[in-house]
Amino acid sequence: MPSTHNTDKPWDTDDIDKWKIDPFQPEDNAAGAFTEESRFSTLFPKYREQYLRASWKIITAALAKHGVGCELDLTEGSMTVFTTLKTYDPAAILNARDLIKLLARSVPAPQALKILEDDVACDIIKIRNLVTNKDRFVKRRQRILGPNGSTLKALELLTETFILVQGNTVAAMGNWKGLKTVRRIIEDTMANIHPIYSIKELMIKKELEKDPALKNESWDRFLPNFKKRTTAKRRVPHKVTDKTKKTYTPFPPAQEKSKVDLQIESGEYFLGKQAKERKAREDRETKMKEKMDEKRKERLNEYVAPAEDGEKKKKKRKREEGEEKEKKKKKRKDVEVNGEEA
């Protein structure tokens, strides 16, 4: 049978986007209405009650377009979404579930409603359990925001996502690729890796994407390679015992004497209460006397006159004068002896 693979296809033209996902229409649901009701609910904090009550009409109208119902229970502090007979898209209830999660995490309603679109996803990252110390957690969470929110804004522009840091969680909205990058950066930040390194890497990748020549090449040579500057220092003990000099003995060392044993040896254990107090008082007084004597000696040393160098110089001069006189006497004797011989 001849192959039909290479035959011309008049419907397959270059202007067709093969990766485009067409929106799900009511006509695409051939099975009709759902047989069972799906329901999702989530709690929200007390401070969100006023905002949710004000913006609930907008949320209800947006969900009604997809045939999804919603309820706001202010007594229990919960939001609920559920399918109705008008619901035609099976994924709509899952998007509605993500919507109420984002609203509970303080995401503004106009931004949270974008989750109902097919090309927008969300990710709520729990960061509190990544750091045990609370002070360290607050500092690292502040790194995500940066000075005046500049770091957060840079991450949003580079990843094309919406990021909101609230309490113990980080809510992100955008495409799947951007959400994956955001999760990696936030987890690295909580693991004490500054987000500025990831921002530099993303900026370089953004520029490399514009060059079609580098499409099928590795970008490793362009990306920065950050290394740790501080090396782990091994703790050196204060007292290092040389075990080579010690001879090996199979017997364990002798047990150290306890306080009671030392008292029995000195006889203090058998003294009465008053005798013990008297002995402790005497020991205290003797120690005080010794300290007082040491201090008195130190004070007296200040009044001792230092040794002068003049006396040593005088002694040296006398010594030198005596040596010169002896030399002169020897010369005279030599002269007299030579005269007599002549």
Side-chain angles (χ1 to χ4, degrees):
M1 184 177 176
S3 176
T4 58
H5 180 68
N6 295 324
T7 56
D8 293 332
K9 300 179 179 67
W11 63 87
D12 192 5
T13 56
D14 295 333
D15 59 341
I16 294 173
D17 186 7
K18 296 178 182 179
W19 294 100
K20 185 183 177 183
I21 300 171
D22 295 322
F24 196 86
Q25 299 296 335
E27 300 84 35
D28 299 327
N29 187 12
F34 299 152
T35 55
E36 294 290 336
E37 182 188 76
S38 297
R39 183 179 287 265
F40 295 100
S41 62
T42 186
L43 300 172
F44 60 87
K46 184 74 174 176
Y47 62 85
R48 291 289 289 170
E49 182 179 324
Q50 191 175 357
Y51 179 81
L52 290 171
R53 193 190 301 168
S55 58
W56 196 249
K57 287 183 181 179
I58 305 164
I59 296 161
T60 308
L63 289 172
K65 291 177 184 177
H66 297 270
V68 178
C70 60
E71 290 177 358
L72 178 66
D73 192 348
L74 297 175
T75 55
E76 289 184 4
S78 65
M79 291 179 283
T80 309
V81 289
F82 51 89
T83 56
T84 60
L85 295 172
K86 294 180 181 180
T87 310
Y88 60 89
D89 187 3
I93 186 63
L94 301 176
N95 292 336
R97 177 199 61 187
D98 293 338
L99 170 65
I100 59 174
K101 277 185 183 179
L102 292 168
L103 290 168
R105 296 313 311 149
S106 300
V107 178
Q111 178 65 38
L113 288 170
K114 292 179 183 178
I115 196 67
L116 298 174
E117 298 172 10
D118 289 334
D119 56 344
V120 180
C122 75
D123 189 10
I124 295 171
I125 307 157
K126 295 179 180 178
I127 56 174
R128 184 64 189 92
N129 55 352
L130 299 176
V131 183
T132 52
N133 192 351
K134 191 174 182 180
D135 295 334
R136 201 176 295 144
F137 164 73
V138 171
K139 286 179 183 177
R140 291 181 187 177
R141 184 181 61 181
Q142 186 60 34
R143 282 184 197 169
I144 301 168
L145 298 170
N148 299 323
S150 57
T151 307
L152 190 71
K153 192 68 181 173
L155 286 172
E156 285 182 345
L157 291 170
L158 291 167
T159 57
E160 298 176 357
T161 55
F162 169 81
I163 305 168
L164 179 73
V165 181
Q166 176 71 23
N168 298 333
T169 58
V170 177
M173 288 178 64
N175 53 11
W176 285 108
K177 187 181 177 182
L179 292 176
K180 191 177 179 181
T181 309
V182 168
R183 176 172 274 275
R184 178 178 59 82
I185 292 168
I186 286 167
E187 286 178 354
D188 287 348
T189 305
M190 301 312 288
N192 203 18
I193 299 170
H194 206 281
I196 195 68
Y197 301 125
S198 303
I199 289 169
K200 284 182 180 178
E201 190 178 329
L202 288 171
M203 287 172 72
I204 294 165
K205 284 181 178 179
K206 203 88 171 175
E207 291 297 320
L208 292 171
E209 283 174 1
K210 296 175 184 177
D211 192 356
L214 299 169
K215 190 176 182 181
N216 298 321
E217 292 184 20
S218 177
W219 293 351
D220 291 339
R221 65 180 187 273
F222 301 108
L223 298 175
N225 186 18
F226 300 107
K227 293 181 180 178
K228 283 187 178 180
R229 292 184 181 179
T230 55
T231 55
K233 293 180 180 178
R234 182 181 171 275
R235 192 185 69 82
V236 180
H238 295 293
K239 293 181 181 179
V240 181
T241 54
D242 191 6
K243 295 181 180 180
T244 55
K245 295 179 182 178
K246 291 183 179 180
T247 54
Y248 173 73
T249 54
F251 305 105
Q255 189 177 1
E256 292 184 2
K257 292 181 180 178
S258 65
K259 191 176 178 181
V260 177
D261 294 336
L262 294 170
Q263 286 178 350
I264 290 168
E265 285 183 2
S266 63
E268 187 184 348
Y269 183 78
F270 303 103
L271 296 173
K273 187 179 180 182
Q274 292 179 350
K276 282 182 181 179
E277 289 177 358
R278 197 186 312 115
K279 192 174 183 301
R281 201 183 311 118
E282 287 172 0
D283 292 342
R284 213 179 304 122
E285 287 174 359
T286 51
K287 285 180 182 178
M288 283 173 65
K289 284 179 181 178
E290 286 174 2
K291 284 184 180 179
M292 286 170 70
D293 291 338
E294 287 176 4
K295 287 181 179 179
R296 198 180 293 113
K297 286 177 184 177
E298 287 176 3
R299 266 188 245 113
L300 291 171
N301 287 335
E302 293 177 2
Y303 298 103
V304 175
E308 295 181 1
D309 298 334
E311 292 178 1
K312 291 181 180 178
K313 288 180 180 178
K314 286 177 183 178
K315 287 179 182 177
K316 282 182 180 179
R317 281 176 190 169
K318 287 178 181 178
R319 226 178 278 144
E320 288 173 359
E321 287 173 0
E323 287 175 359
E324 286 176 1
K325 285 178 182 179
E326 285 178 1
K327 286 178 182 179
K328 286 178 182 180
K329 284 179 182 180
K330 283 181 181 179
K331 283 181 181 179
R332 285 173 190 170
K333 284 180 182 179
D334 292 339
V335 171
E336 288 174 358
V337 172
N338 291 332
E340 287 177 359
E341 287 178 355

